[in-house]
Amino acid sequence: MMIPWGGISCCLSGAALYLLGRSSGRDAEALKSVAKVNQLKELAKLLDIESKVLPLVVAISGRVGAESPISCEFSGLRGVIVEETAEQHFLKHNDAGSWIQDSALMLSMSKEVPWYLDDGTDRVYVVGARGASGFVLTVGSEVFEESGRSLVRGTLDYLQGLKMLGVKRIERVLPTGTSLTVVGEAVKDDIGTVRIQRPHKGPFYVSPKSIDELIGNLGKWARWYKYASLGLTVFGAFLITKHVILYIMERRRHWELQSRVLAAAKRSGQDNEGSNGKAENGSDGAKRERPIPDLCVICLEKEYNAVFLPYILFLTKFSHQNLALQANSYTIR
């Protein structure tokens, strides 16, 4: 019996999507349970009361600020986190004799300064935002610098099977003044400064979306994952069931054919036993002239009444059933 890999794959994919849906649902419920701070000036008082019992996970909103922001080289923006990458783009000569485009990373640099959220009532510093869910940097600048047309350099690159096109520089930045929502653990350092960091257990989000939008998106994805999981599981179960039914039907046909063969062999044996006495009293010439049994080779039950030429007939997996039906309809006289 061949394993129905298609049905099993669908069921496994459905199970994976179901687990993703449960995970998204748990994240949505976790966000619903965090304390929402409307004004940052209230966070210090709340922290003094609540954090004595359990770690305080809160959701705050404000605009990004820093004491000494970074000035971006290409975009001219001022930000608190800046990432610069440089990629060398070139054409290379492959084994087929044609030129294909490729790129290689030349530079990857990241800068960050201490930054905070400010809502006009107070400010709260944010630590470890890069590892938070939903954190995305804005593309501040994307510049392509063409390579110089030096004859010597071009010749050397060509001999190595390369044609330099230029350098693509991308600058990603978290600009000052950006509105963000941060969900994390609120703590105080040794000098009493309040900051938000990744909790030991709980959600950690840094996103331009509000807390209500985050909960809504997670709930929507949880529902979609569950619907897709249900569909894939039902389809996979259908494929497996179909495969099992076909296998049972095929085994049943084999069993019926085997039973018919055994019954025909039993009848043939009984006929041979009845003719053994006559054959023993006959001469050797009579033994050679003994008639061939007239049993049909298709149905193994009735006498044959048709002849098929072997170079015309090609039997397939189910042709014996058709031949058995046709043998009862046509007779060669």
Side-chain angles (χ1 to χ4, degrees), residues 127-209:
V127 180
R130 292 186 186 180
S133 301
F135 179 73
V136 178
L137 293 176
T138 304
V139 177
S141 175
E142 187 172 342
V143 181
F144 186 80
E145 301 174 354
E146 294 186 0
S147 299
R149 301 297 182 180
S150 172
L151 180 60
V152 177
R153 177 63 181 273
T155 303
L156 292 176
D157 291 339
Y158 185 82
L159 292 176
Q160 295 177 356
L162 299 174
K163 288 183 179 180
M164 297 300 174
L165 300 177
V167 178
K168 184 178 182 180
R169 301 184 184 275
I170 302 175
E171 193 175 61
R172 295 179 175 87
V173 58
L174 177 59
T176 56
T178 303
S179 296
L180 289 181
T181 297
V182 178
V183 179
E185 181 183 0
V187 296
K188 278 187 178 181
D189 58 15
D190 297 335
I191 60 176
T193 303
V194 180
R195 68 174 187 265
I196 302 293
Q197 64 184 17
R198 174 184 290 276
H200 295 289
K201 184 178 181 181
F204 187 39
Y205 283 84
V206 177
S207 173
K209 299 178 181 178

Coordinates of all heavy atoms in Angstrom, one line a residue, residues 127-209:
V127 N 14.6 50.5 25.7 CA 15.9 49.7 25.6 C 15.6 48.4 24.9 O 14.6 47.7 25.1 CB 16.4 49.4 27.0 CG1 17.7 48.6 26.9 CG2 16.7 50.6 27.8
G128 N 16.5 48.1 23.9 CA 16.4 46.8 23.2 C 15.3 46.8 22.1 O 14.7 45.7 21.9
A129 N 15.0 47.9 21.5 CA 13.8 48.0 20.6 C 14.1 47.1 19.3 O 13.1 46.7 18.7 CB 13.6 49.4 20.2
R130 N 15.3 46.9 18.9 CA 15.5 46.2 17.7 C 15.0 44.7 17.8 O 14.7 44.1 16.8 CB 17.0 46.1 17.4 CG 17.6 47.5 17.0 CD 19.0 47.4 16.6 NE 19.6 48.6 16.3 CZ 20.9 48.8 16.0 NH1 21.7 47.7 15.8 NH2 21.4 50.0 15.8
G131 N 15.0 44.1 19.0 CA 14.6 42.8 19.1 C 13.1 42.7 19.3 O 12.6 41.6 19.6
A132 N 12.3 43.8 19.3 CA 10.9 43.8 19.6 C 10.1 43.4 18.3 O 10.5 43.6 17.2 CB 10.4 45.1 20.1
S133 N 8.9 42.8 18.5 CA 8.0 42.5 17.4 C 7.4 43.8 16.9 O 7.1 44.7 17.6 CB 6.9 41.6 17.9 OG 7.4 40.4 18.5
G134 N 7.3 43.8 15.5 CA 6.7 44.9 14.9 C 7.6 46.1 14.6 O 7.2 47.1 14.1
F135 N 8.9 46.0 15.0 CA 9.8 47.1 14.8 C 10.4 47.1 13.4 O 10.9 46.1 12.9 CB 11.0 46.9 15.8 CG 12.0 48.0 15.7 CD1 11.8 49.3 16.2 CD2 13.3 47.8 15.1 CE1 12.7 50.3 16.1 CE2 14.2 48.8 15.0 CZ 13.9 50.0 15.5
V136 N 10.2 48.2 12.7 CA 10.6 48.4 11.3 C 11.2 49.8 11.2 O 10.7 50.8 11.7 CB 9.4 48.3 10.4 CG1 9.9 48.5 8.9 CG2 8.8 46.9 10.5
L137 N 12.4 49.8 10.5 CA 13.0 51.1 10.2 C 12.6 51.6 8.9 O 12.3 50.9 8.0 CB 14.6 50.9 10.2 CG 15.2 50.6 11.6 CD1 16.7 50.3 11.4 CD2 15.0 51.7 12.6
T138 N 12.5 53.0 8.8 CA 12.1 53.6 7.6 C 13.3 53.8 6.6 O 14.4 54.1 7.1 CB 11.5 55.0 7.9 OG1 10.4 54.9 8.8 CG2 11.0 55.7 6.6
V139 N 13.1 53.5 5.3 CA 14.2 53.7 4.4 C 14.3 55.2 4.1 O 13.4 55.9 3.5 CB 13.8 53.0 3.0 CG1 14.9 53.3 2.0 CG2 13.7 51.5 3.3
G140 N 15.4 55.8 4.6 CA 15.6 57.2 4.5 C 16.2 57.6 3.2 O 15.9 58.7 2.6
S141 N 17.1 56.7 2.7 CA 17.8 57.1 1.4 C 18.2 55.8 0.7 O 18.6 54.8 1.4 CB 19.0 57.9 1.7 OG 19.8 58.2 0.5
E142 N 18.1 55.8 -0.6 CA 18.6 54.7 -1.4 C 19.2 55.2 -2.7 O 18.6 55.8 -3.6 CB 17.4 53.8 -1.8 CG 17.8 52.5 -2.5 CD 16.6 51.6 -2.7 OE1 15.6 51.8 -2.0 OE2 16.7 50.7 -3.6
V143 N 20.6 55.1 -2.7 CA 21.4 55.7 -3.8 C 22.2 54.6 -4.5 O 22.7 53.7 -3.9 CB 22.3 56.8 -3.2 CG1 23.1 57.5 -4.3 CG2 21.5 57.8 -2.4
F144 N 22.3 54.8 -5.8 CA 23.1 53.9 -6.6 C 24.2 54.7 -7.3 O 24.0 55.6 -8.0 CB 22.3 53.2 -7.7 CG 23.0 52.1 -8.5 CD1 23.2 50.9 -8.0 CD2 23.6 52.4 -9.7 CE1 23.9 49.9 -8.6 CE2 24.3 51.5 -10.4 CZ 24.5 50.2 -9.9
E145 N 25.5 54.3 -6.9 CA 26.7 55.0 -7.4 C 27.3 54.1 -8.5 O 27.7 53.0 -8.2 CB 27.6 55.2 -6.3 CG 27.1 56.1 -5.1 CD 28.0 56.2 -4.0 OE1 29.1 55.5 -4.0 OE2 27.7 56.9 -3.0
E146 N 27.4 54.6 -9.7 CA 28.0 53.9 -10.8 C 29.5 53.8 -10.6 O 30.1 54.7 -10.1 CB 27.6 54.5 -12.1 CG 26.1 54.5 -12.5 CD 25.9 55.0 -13.9 OE1 26.9 55.4 -14.6 OE2 24.7 55.0 -14.3
S147 N 30.0 52.7 -11.1 CA 31.4 52.4 -11.0 C 32.2 53.4 -12.0 O 31.6 53.7 -13.0 CB 31.8 51.0 -11.3 OG 31.2 50.1 -10.4
G148 N 33.4 53.7 -11.6 CA 34.2 54.5 -12.5 C 34.6 53.8 -13.8 O 34.6 52.5 -13.9
R149 N 34.9 54.5 -14.8 CA 35.3 54.0 -16.1 C 36.8 53.8 -16.4 O 37.3 54.1 -17.4 CB 34.7 54.8 -17.2 CG 33.1 55.0 -17.1 CD 32.5 53.6 -17.3 NE 31.0 53.8 -17.3 CZ 30.2 52.7 -17.4 NH1 30.7 51.5 -17.6 NH2 28.9 52.9 -17.3
S150 N 37.5 53.4 -15.4 CA 38.9 53.2 -15.5 C 39.2 52.1 -16.5 O 38.7 51.0 -16.3 CB 39.6 52.9 -14.1 OG 40.9 52.6 -14.3
L151 N 40.0 52.3 -17.5 CA 40.3 51.3 -18.5 C 41.1 50.1 -17.9 O 40.8 49.0 -18.1 CB 41.2 51.9 -19.6 CG 41.6 51.0 -20.7 CD1 40.3 50.4 -21.4 CD2 42.5 51.7 -21.7
V152 N 42.1 50.4 -17.0 CA 42.8 49.3 -16.4 C 42.0 48.5 -15.5 O 42.0 47.2 -15.5 CB 44.0 49.9 -15.6 CG1 44.8 48.8 -14.9 CG2 45.0 50.7 -16.6
R153 N 41.2 49.1 -14.6 CA 40.3 48.4 -13.7 C 39.3 47.6 -14.5 O 39.0 46.4 -14.2 CB 39.6 49.4 -12.8 CG 38.7 48.7 -11.8 CD 39.4 47.7 -10.9 NE 38.5 47.1 -10.0 CZ 38.1 47.6 -8.8 NH1 38.6 48.8 -8.4 NH2 37.3 46.9 -8.0
G154 N 38.7 48.2 -15.5 CA 37.7 47.5 -16.3 C 38.3 46.2 -17.0 O 37.7 45.2 -17.1
T155 N 39.5 46.4 -17.5 CA 40.2 45.2 -18.2 C 40.5 44.1 -17.2 O 40.2 42.9 -17.5 CB 41.5 45.7 -18.8 OG1 41.2 46.8 -19.7 CG2 42.2 44.6 -19.6
L156 N 41.0 44.5 -16.0 CA 41.3 43.4 -15.0 C 40.0 42.7 -14.6 O 40.0 41.5 -14.4 CB 41.9 44.1 -13.8 CG 43.3 44.6 -14.0 CD1 43.9 45.3 -12.7 CD2 44.3 43.5 -14.4
D157 N 38.9 43.5 -14.4 CA 37.6 42.8 -14.0 C 37.1 41.9 -15.1 O 36.6 40.8 -14.9 CB 36.6 43.9 -13.7 CG 36.9 44.6 -12.4 OD1 37.7 44.1 -11.6 OD2 36.4 45.8 -12.2
Y158 N 37.3 42.4 -16.3 CA 36.8 41.6 -17.5 C 37.6 40.3 -17.6 O 37.0 39.2 -17.9 CB 36.9 42.4 -18.8 CG 36.3 41.7 -20.0 CD1 35.0 41.7 -20.2 CD2 37.2 41.0 -20.8 CE1 34.4 41.0 -21.3 CE2 36.6 40.3 -21.9 CZ 35.3 40.3 -22.2 OH 34.7 39.7 -23.2
L159 N 38.9 40.3 -17.3 CA 39.7 39.1 -17.4 C 39.2 38.1 -16.3 O 39.4 36.9 -16.4 CB 41.1 39.4 -17.2 CG 41.8 40.2 -18.4 CD1 43.2 40.6 -18.1 CD2 41.7 39.4 -19.7
Q160 N 38.7 38.6 -15.2 CA 38.2 37.8 -14.1 C 36.8 37.3 -14.3 O 36.2 36.6 -13.5 CB 38.3 38.5 -12.7 CG 39.8 38.8 -12.4 CD 39.9 39.6 -11.1 OE1 38.8 40.0 -10.5 NE2 41.1 39.9 -10.6
G161 N 36.2 37.7 -15.4 CA 34.8 37.4 -15.7 C 33.8 38.3 -15.0 O 32.7 37.8 -14.7
L162 N 34.2 39.5 -14.7 CA 33.3 40.4 -14.0 C 33.1 41.8 -14.8 O 34.0 42.2 -15.5 CB 33.8 40.7 -12.6 CG 33.9 39.6 -11.6 CD1 34.6 40.0 -10.4 CD2 32.6 38.9 -11.3
K163 N 31.9 42.4 -14.6 CA 31.7 43.7 -15.1 C 31.0 44.5 -14.0 O 29.9 44.3 -13.6 CB 30.8 43.7 -16.3 CG 31.4 43.2 -17.6 CD 30.4 43.3 -18.8 CE 31.0 42.8 -20.1 NZ 30.1 42.9 -21.2
M164 N 31.8 45.4 -13.4 CA 31.3 46.2 -12.2 C 30.2 47.2 -12.7 O 30.5 48.0 -13.6 CB 32.4 46.9 -11.5 CG 33.4 46.0 -10.9 SD 32.6 44.9 -9.7 CE 34.0 43.8 -9.3
L165 N 29.1 47.2 -12.0 CA 28.0 48.1 -12.4 C 28.0 49.3 -11.4 O 27.8 50.5 -11.9 CB 26.6 47.4 -12.3 CG 26.5 46.2 -13.3 CD1 25.1 45.6 -13.1 CD2 26.6 46.7 -14.7
G166 N 28.1 49.1 -10.2 CA 28.1 50.2 -9.2 C 27.8 49.7 -7.8 O 27.7 48.5 -7.5
V167 N 27.6 50.7 -6.9 CA 27.4 50.4 -5.5 C 26.0 51.0 -5.1 O 25.7 52.1 -5.4 CB 28.5 51.0 -4.6 CG1 28.2 50.7 -3.1 CG2 29.8 50.4 -5.0
K168 N 25.2 50.1 -4.5 CA 23.9 50.6 -4.0 C 23.9 50.8 -2.5 O 24.2 49.8 -1.7 CB 22.8 49.5 -4.4 CG 21.4 49.9 -4.0 CD 20.4 48.8 -4.4 CE 19.0 49.2 -4.1 NZ 18.0 48.2 -4.5
R169 N 23.7 52.0 -2.1 CA 23.7 52.3 -0.6 C 22.3 52.6 -0.1 O 21.6 53.4 -0.7 CB 24.6 53.6 -0.4 CG 26.1 53.4 -0.9 CD 26.9 54.5 -0.5 NE 28.3 54.4 -1.1 CZ 29.3 53.8 -0.4 NH1 29.0 53.2 0.8 NH2 30.5 53.7 -1.0
I170 N 22.0 51.9 0.9 CA 20.6 52.0 1.5 C 20.8 52.5 3.0 O 21.6 51.9 3.7 CB 19.8 50.7 1.5 CG1 19.7 50.2 0.1 CG2 18.5 50.9 2.1 CD1 19.0 48.9 -0.1
E171 N 20.0 53.5 3.3 CA 20.1 54.1 4.7 C 18.7 53.9 5.3 O 17.7 54.5 4.8 CB 20.5 55.5 4.6 CG 20.9 56.2 5.9 CD 21.4 57.6 5.7 OE1 20.6 58.4 5.2 OE2 22.6 57.9 6.0
R172 N 18.6 53.2 6.4 CA 17.4 53.0 7.2 C 17.5 53.7 8.5 O 18.6 53.6 9.2 CB 17.1 51.5 7.3 CG 16.8 50.8 6.1 CD 16.5 49.3 6.3 NE 16.1 48.6 5.1 CZ 17.0 48.0 4.2 NH1 18.3 48.1 4.5 NH2 16.5 47.4 3.1
V173 N 16.4 54.3 8.9 CA 16.5 55.2 10.1 C 15.2 55.2 10.8 O 14.1 55.0 10.3 CB 16.9 56.7 9.7 CG1 15.9 57.2 8.7 CG2 17.0 57.6 10.8
L174 N 15.3 55.4 12.1 CA 14.1 55.7 13.0 C 14.2 57.2 13.3 O 14.9 57.6 14.2 CB 14.2 54.9 14.3 CG 13.0 55.1 15.3 CD1 11.7 54.9 14.7 CD2 13.2 54.3 16.5
P175 N 13.5 58.0 12.6 CA 13.6 59.4 12.7 C 13.0 59.9 14.1 O 12.1 59.3 14.6 CB 12.8 60.0 11.5 CG 12.5 58.8 10.6 CD 12.5 57.6 11.5
T176 N 13.5 61.0 14.5 CA 13.0 61.7 15.7 C 11.6 62.3 15.3 O 11.4 62.7 14.2 CB 13.9 62.8 16.2 OG1 14.1 63.7 15.1 CG2 15.2 62.2 16.6
G177 N 10.7 62.3 16.3 CA 9.4 62.7 16.1 C 8.4 61.7 15.6 O 7.2 62.0 15.4
T178 N 8.9 60.4 15.4 CA 8.0 59.4 14.9 C 7.1 58.9 16.1 O 7.6 58.7 17.2 CB 8.8 58.2 14.4 OG1 9.7 58.6 13.4 CG2 7.9 57.1 13.9
S179 N 5.8 58.7 15.8 CA 4.9 58.3 16.8 C 5.0 56.7 16.9 O 4.8 56.0 15.9 CB 3.4 58.7 16.5 OG 3.3 60.1 16.5
L180 N 5.2 56.2 18.1 CA 5.3 54.8 18.4 C 4.5 54.4 19.5 O 4.2 55.2 20.4 CB 6.8 54.4 18.6 CG 7.8 54.5 17.4 CD1 9.2 54.1 17.9 CD2 7.3 53.6 16.3
T181 N 4.1 53.1 19.5 CA 3.5 52.4 20.7 C 4.5 51.3 21.1 O 4.9 50.5 20.3 CB 2.2 51.8 20.3 OG1 1.3 52.8 19.9 CG2 1.6 51.0 21.5
V182 N 4.8 51.3 22.4 CA 5.7 50.4 23.0 C 5.0 49.6 24.1 O 4.4 50.1 25.0 CB 7.0 51.1 23.6 CG1 7.9 50.0 24.2 CG2 7.7 51.8 22.5
V183 N 5.1 48.2 24.0 CA 4.6 47.3 25.0 C 5.8 46.6 25.6 O 6.5 45.9 24.8 CB 3.5 46.4 24.4 CG1 3.0 45.4 25.5 CG2 2.4 47.1 23.7
G184 N 5.9 46.7 26.9 CA 7.1 46.0 27.5 C 7.0 46.2 29.0 O 6.0 46.7 29.6
E185 N 8.1 45.7 29.7 CA 8.1 45.8 31.1 C 8.7 47.2 31.5 O 9.7 47.6 31.1 CB 9.0 44.7 31.7 CG 9.1 44.7 33.2 CD 10.0 43.6 33.7 OE1 10.6 42.9 32.9 OE2 10.2 43.5 34.9
A186 N 8.0 47.8 32.5 CA 8.5 49.1 33.0 C 9.3 48.9 34.2 O 8.9 48.2 35.2 CB 7.3 50.0 33.3
V187 N 10.5 49.5 34.2 CA 11.4 49.3 35.4 C 12.0 50.7 35.7 O 12.0 51.6 34.8 CB 12.5 48.3 35.1 CG1 11.9 46.9 35.0 CG2 13.3 48.6 33.9
K188 N 12.6 50.8 36.8 CA 13.4 51.9 37.2 C 14.9 51.5 37.4 O 15.2 50.5 38.0 CB 12.9 52.5 38.5 CG 11.7 53.5 38.3 CD 11.4 54.1 39.7 CE 10.2 55.1 39.5 NZ 9.9 55.8 40.8
D189 N 15.8 52.4 36.9 CA 17.2 52.0 37.1 C 17.7 52.6 38.5 O 16.9 53.0 39.3 CB 18.0 52.6 36.0 CG 17.9 54.1 35.8 OD1 17.4 54.7 36.7 OD2 18.3 54.6 34.7
D190 N 19.0 52.6 38.7 CA 19.5 52.9 40.0 C 19.3 54.4 40.3 O 19.2 54.8 41.5 CB 21.0 52.6 40.1 CG 21.3 51.1 39.9 OD1 20.3 50.3 40.3 OD2 22.4 50.7 39.5
I191 N 19.2 55.3 39.3 CA 19.0 56.7 39.6 C 17.6 57.1 39.4 O 17.3 58.3 39.5 CB 19.9 57.5 38.6 CG1 19.5 57.2 37.1 CG2 21.4 57.2 38.8 CD1 20.3 58.1 36.1
G192 N 16.7 56.1 39.3 CA 15.2 56.5 39.3 C 14.7 56.8 37.9 O 13.5 57.2 37.8
T193 N 15.4 56.5 36.8 CA 14.9 56.8 35.5 C 14.0 55.6 35.0 O 14.4 54.5 35.1 CB 16.1 57.0 34.5 OG1 16.9 58.0 34.9 CG2 15.6 57.3 33.1
V194 N 12.8 55.9 34.5 CA 11.9 54.9 34.1 C 12.2 54.5 32.7 O 12.5 55.4 31.8 CB 10.5 55.4 34.2 CG1 9.5 54.3 33.7 CG2 10.1 55.8 35.6
R195 N 12.3 53.2 32.4 CA 12.5 52.7 31.0 C 11.7 51.5 30.8 O 11.2 50.8 31.7 CB 14.0 52.4 30.8 CG 14.5 51.2 31.6 CD 15.9 50.9 31.3 NE 16.4 49.6 31.9 CZ 17.0 49.6 33.0 NH1 17.3 50.7 33.7 NH2 17.4 48.4 33.5
I196 N 11.5 51.2 29.5 CA 10.7 50.1 29.0 C 11.7 49.1 28.4 O 12.5 49.5 27.5 CB 9.6 50.5 28.0 CG1 8.7 51.5 28.6 CG2 8.9 49.2 27.5 CD1 7.8 50.9 29.7
Q197 N 11.6 47.8 28.7 CA 12.5 46.8 28.2 C 11.8 45.5 27.9 O 10.6 45.4 28.2 CB 13.7 46.6 29.2 CG 13.2 46.0 30.5 CD 14.3 45.8 31.5 OE1 15.4 46.4 31.4 NE2 14.1 45.0 32.5
R198 N 12.5 44.5 27.4 CA 11.9 43.2 27.1 C 11.6 42.5 28.4 O 12.5 42.4 29.2 CB 12.8 42.4 26.2 CG 12.3 41.0 26.0 CD 13.2 40.1 25.3 NE 13.3 40.6 23.9 CZ 12.5 40.2 22.9 NH1 11.5 39.3 23.2 NH2 12.6 40.6 21.7
P199 N 10.3 42.1 28.6 CA 10.1 41.3 29.9 C 10.6 39.9 29.8 O 10.8 39.4 28.7 CB 8.5 41.4 29.9 CG 8.1 41.5 28.5 CD 9.1 42.3 27.8
H200 N 10.8 39.3 31.0 CA 11.3 38.0 31.0 C 10.2 37.0 30.5 O 10.5 36.0 29.9 CB 11.6 37.6 32.5 CG 12.8 38.3 33.0 ND1 14.1 38.1 32.6 CD2 12.9 39.3 33.9 CE1 14.9 38.9 33.2 NE2 14.2 39.6 34.0
K201 N 8.9 37.4 30.7 CA 7.8 36.6 30.2 C 6.7 37.6 29.8 O 6.1 38.2 30.7 CB 7.4 35.5 31.2 CG 6.3 34.6 30.7 CD 5.9 33.6 31.7 CE 4.9 32.6 31.2 NZ 4.5 31.6 32.2
G202 N 6.4 37.6 28.6 CA 5.3 38.5 28.2 C 5.6 39.2 26.8 O 6.7 39.0 26.2
P203 N 4.7 40.0 26.3 CA 4.8 40.6 25.0 C 5.8 41.8 25.0 O 6.0 42.5 26.0 CB 3.4 41.1 24.7 CG 2.8 41.3 26.0 CD 3.4 40.3 26.9
F204 N 6.5 42.0 23.9 CA 7.4 43.1 23.7 C 7.2 43.6 22.3 O 7.6 42.9 21.3 CB 8.8 42.7 24.0 CG 9.8 43.8 23.9 CD1 9.5 45.1 24.5 CD2 11.1 43.7 23.4 CE1 10.4 46.1 24.5 CE2 12.0 44.7 23.3 CZ 11.6 45.9 23.9
Y205 N 6.6 44.8 22.1 CA 6.2 45.3 20.8 C 6.8 46.7 20.7 O 6.7 47.5 21.7 CB 4.7 45.3 20.6 CG 4.2 44.0 20.2 CD1 3.8 43.1 21.2 CD2 3.9 43.6 18.9 CE1 3.3 41.8 20.9 CE2 3.4 42.4 18.5 CZ 3.1 41.5 19.5 OH 2.6 40.3 19.2
V206 N 7.3 47.1 19.6 CA 7.6 48.5 19.2 C 7.0 48.7 17.8 O 7.6 48.2 16.8 CB 9.1 48.8 19.3 CG1 9.4 50.2 18.8 CG2 9.7 48.5 20.7
S207 N 6.0 49.5 17.7 CA 5.2 49.5 16.4 C 4.6 50.9 16.3 O 4.2 51.6 17.3 CB 4.1 48.5 16.4 OG 3.3 48.6 15.3
P208 N 4.5 51.4 15.0 CA 3.8 52.7 14.8 C 2.3 52.5 15.0 O 1.6 53.5 15.0 CB 4.1 53.0 13.4 CG 4.5 51.7 12.7 CD 5.1 50.9 13.8
K209 N 1.8 51.3 15.1 CA 0.3 51.1 15.3 C -0.1 51.2 16.7 O 0.8 51.0 17.6 CB -0.1 49.7 14.8 CG 0.2 49.5 13.3 CD -0.1 48.1 12.9 CE 0.1 47.8 11.4 NZ -0.2 46.4 11.0

